[in-house]
Amino acid sequence: MAKLLFPDFLDYPASYDAAEALWKARFDALAENYQFAYAPYINLFARNGDKHRDGNPIFCAEVKTLNRAVRIIQEVIEEPDDFFISAWLDTFPIDEDNPLNELVIPLVLSEETLEIAERLIVHWLVEQRSKEEMERVLGAELALLG
């Protein structure tokens, strides 16, 4: 059974903030280890200054030098034994002439899904796999779950 992390993240702001901080710390470590800079690319705040706390995204990062990004969508657990992670490639329309290439990872956060997500992020940002290679990697990683 998967050990869930922050299963109450939508119910309690402190839990949400802790989940966000976990993703930031993990991404900061990857950025330091692999020497890349990143910045958020999706505004997480409403016009009144309140933070959107719906999990989409719970974390996002753009690496401008690569024109690549990662968006993590943290989802609510539906069943006690939920183990869910998925991933796909998309584009984000920051610039009409040069859309941002994005790896989207929706998941129910657990120790296991966190590890899988980190491996996918390394394939995408560090190894800079092509879209075709990433499709194969995504298929292989996600097939191991079934």
Side-chain angles (χ1 to χ4, degrees):
M1 185 165 129
K3 180 178 183 320
L4 296 178
L5 304 173
F6 313 107
D8 59 354
F9 77 105
L10 288 181
D11 297 324
Y12 301 101
S15 186
Y16 194 97
D17 292 346
E20 261 185 331
L22 173 68
W23 283 110
K24 183 175 182 336
R26 293 295 182 110
F27 219 86
D28 285 348
L30 286 172
E32 184 176 326
N33 288 342
Y34 295 106
Q35 301 297 301
F36 63 83
Y38 74 91
Y41 63 101
I42 297 174
N43 184 0
L44 302 177
F45 293 91
R47 287 185 182 192
N48 66 2
D50 289 343
K51 187 182 223 177
H52 290 291
R53 292 180 188 272
D54 65 359
N56 184 10
I58 195 145
F59 181 83
C60 66
E62 174 187 10
V63 180
K64 286 186 187 279
T65 57
L66 301 177
N67 192 41
R68 291 187 178 201
V70 174
R71 177 172 29 137
I72 306 294
I73 302 170
Q74 190 165 322
E75 299 195 3
V76 177
I77 186 168
E78 298 295 331
E79 297 294 326
D81 292 334
D82 265 0
F83 179 89
F84 171 75
I85 184 168
S86 186
W88 62 84
L89 298 176
D90 204 353
T91 56
F92 192 85
I94 287 180
D95 178 352
E96 284 183 30
D97 297 329
N98 190 25
L100 182 59
N101 296 303
E102 179 182 54
L103 172 63
V104 181
I105 306 173
L107 51 70
V108 171
L109 186 59
S110 69
E111 293 172 343
E112 293 86 354
T113 58
L114 180 62
E115 289 177 20
I116 294 166
E118 285 184 344
R119 286 197 305 266
L120 294 175
I121 292 165
V122 168
H123 286 300
W124 181 238
L125 294 179
V126 176
E127 297 171 359
Q128 298 178 39
R129 303 270 183 137
S130 69
K131 288 185 179 184
E132 295 78 18
E133 290 173 323
M134 276 305 293
E135 292 294 340
R136 286 192 292 278
V137 166
L138 293 173
E141 284 282 353
L142 300 178
L144 295 174
L145 305 175

